[in-house]
């Protein structure tokens, strides 16, 4: 019975005009909770034909819970975030940065800088990259591929 | 015996392992520095570590390199101990 009242509340919220909902509330208030189901069900039956012509009810959107979670990762977003972090790094010239530019050969960085870059990626994406795999990542494209593999992102 | 400027094919096995060890120490240092509570201290420590490692990048004397490696390990342990104390 409580769920039926709740659904009626939701339906009344979804309707464009609220005049009838005030009447609904009055009807519900008068029908005491201890009263039998019959008054409410009759009222619902009488209201139902009127509601059939209404616009679609956004009940699912109102009744579902929102869980806190990060937006889903795609290859595009990973690539954008990786390039953004790299552009912020002071030793890299942003104009010369491409997805395929090698850190040591094209951008002139050394292995200590590469360690710093991988640490920055760990901070950005929130998971640890072990040493053995970190030292092999020598270009932004490889970093994107590795993160996509680890996070099960595929297109 | 520079840490990074020579291509890896030119390093002997011992030098290669030493290079990997040093990079591991640098990485552990950066990870430990991440746990420092204040942002200003973190930045100072990161710059200090970066300077130290870069300054001695082109050392060639193997004894000097070993001494610097053990010094770096001592610094790292000290930092970890102080962080553990600060946290408790």
């Amino acid at each position: 019975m409580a769920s039926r009242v709740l659904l009626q509340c939701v339906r009344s919220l979804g309707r464009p005009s609220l005049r009838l909902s005030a009447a609904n509330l009055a009807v519900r208030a008068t029908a005491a909770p201890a009263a039998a189901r019959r008054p409410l069900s009759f009222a619902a039956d009488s209201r139902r034909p009127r509601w059939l012509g209404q616009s679609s009810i956004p009940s699912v959107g109102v009744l579902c819970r929102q869980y806190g979670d990060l937006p889903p990762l795609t290859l595009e977003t990973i690539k954008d975030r990786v390039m953004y972090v790299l552009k912020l790094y002071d030793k890299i010239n942003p104009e010369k940065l491409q997805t395929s530019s090698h850190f040591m050969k094209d951008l002139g960085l050394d292995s200590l800088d590469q360690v710093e870059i991988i640490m920055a990626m760990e901070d950005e994406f929130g998971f640890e990259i072990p040493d053995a795999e970190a030292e092999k990542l020598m270009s932004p494209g490889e970093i994107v591929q590795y993160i996509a593999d680890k996070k099960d992102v595929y297109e | 015996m520079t840490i990074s400027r020579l291509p890896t094919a030119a390093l002997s096995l011992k030098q290669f392992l030493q290079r990997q060890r040093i990079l591991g120490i640098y990485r552990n240092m950066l990870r430990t520095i991440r746990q420092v509570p204040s942002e200003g201290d973190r930045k100072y420590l990161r710059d200090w570590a970066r300077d130290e490692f870069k300054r001695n990048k082109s050392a060639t004397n193997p004894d000097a390199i070993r001494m610097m490696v053990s010094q770096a390990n001592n610094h790292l342990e000290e930092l970890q101990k102080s962080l553990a104390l600060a946290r408790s």
Side-chain angles (χ1 to χ4, degrees):
Chain A
M1 191 157 81
S3 58
R4 192 175 308 172
V5 171
L6 188 57
L7 276 173
Q8 286 163 358
C9 285
V10 169
R11 287 206 197 104
S12 66
L13 279 172
R15 291 180 65 250
S17 72
L18 295 178
R19 282 182 291 116
L20 277 170
S21 68
N24 295 344
L25 286 169
V27 167
R28 253 178 264 122
T30 53
R37 289 181 186 224
R38 226 178 294 143
L40 268 179
S41 59
F42 275 133
D45 287 338
S46 67
R47 278 198 296 278
R48 213 173 289 137
R50 259 179 286 165
W51 285 359
L52 280 178
Q54 302 300 326
S55 53
S56 70
I57 304 154
S59 52
V60 175
V62 175
L63 284 180
C64 82
R65 281 183 218 164
Q66 316 277 340
Y67 292 103
D69 196 7
L70 298 168
L73 287 176
T74 62
L75 278 179
E76 267 307 304
T77 55
I78 296 178
K79 188 167 86 75
D80 290 336
R81 282 164 79 179
V82 167
M83 300 305 266
Y84 181 66
V85 170
L86 286 175
K87 290 199 172 98
L88 289 176
Y89 189 56
D90 55 356
K91 293 241 183 98
I92 293 185
N93 187 359
E95 283 99 54
K96 287 171 56 185
L97 181 65
Q98 311 255 322
T99 318
S100 57
S101 38
H102 194 271
F103 290 141
M104 299 203 187
K105 290 188 235 173
D106 298 333
L107 300 170
L109 303 172
D110 64 6
S111 47
L112 294 172
D113 298 326
Q114 195 256 355
V115 170
E116 285 180 32
I117 287 173
I118 301 295
M119 295 254 100
M121 295 298 155
E122 285 184 8
D123 284 332
E124 168 71 22
F125 289 96
F127 69 99
E128 273 215 3
I129 303 178
D131 291 5
E133 306 182 11
E135 68 193 15
K136 298 193 202 123
L137 303 173
M138 284 293 168
S139 78
E142 287 180 24
I143 296 179
V144 172
Q145 271 308 310
Y146 178 79
I147 294 177
D149 288 339
K150 281 291 166 172
K151 292 278 180 174
D152 293 329
V153 174
Y154 48 90
E155 274 166 19
Chain B
M1 218 186 326
T2 62
I3 293 186
S4 52
R5 245 181 301 236
L6 288 176
T8 40
L11 296 176
S12 77
L13 180 62
K14 226 191 315 181
Q15 289 168 330
F16 182 71
L17 288 177
Q18 201 169 46
R19 178 174 180 268
Q20 296 304 94
R21 207 176 300 139
I22 293 173
L23 290 176
I25 294 175
Y26 188 52
R27 195 175 281 122
N28 288 335
M29 184 93 68
L30 288 180
R31 287 217 174 107
T32 315
I33 289 176
R34 247 190 219 157
Q35 300 167 12
V36 172
S38 112
E39 178 60 39
D41 289 344
R42 237 179 288 166
K43 185 158 184 347
Y44 175 75
L45 286 169
R46 265 202 299 257
D47 292 339
W48 165 80
R50 211 184 189 184
D51 283 336
E52 287 287 323
F53 273 84
K54 286 217 193 281
R55 203 153 27 97
N56 302 315
K57 202 164 69 157
S58 41
T60 47
N61 184 1
D63 295 328
I65 292 182
R66 266 199 296 264
M67 197 183 75
M68 285 189 266
V69 168
S70 52
Q71 231 176 27
N73 270 322
N74 289 338
H75 282 302
L76 182 60
E77 271 174 48
E78 224 180 86
L79 191 57
Q80 283 169 339
K81 281 189 194 146
S82 341
L83 278 175
L85 276 176
R87 244 177 287 152
S88 62

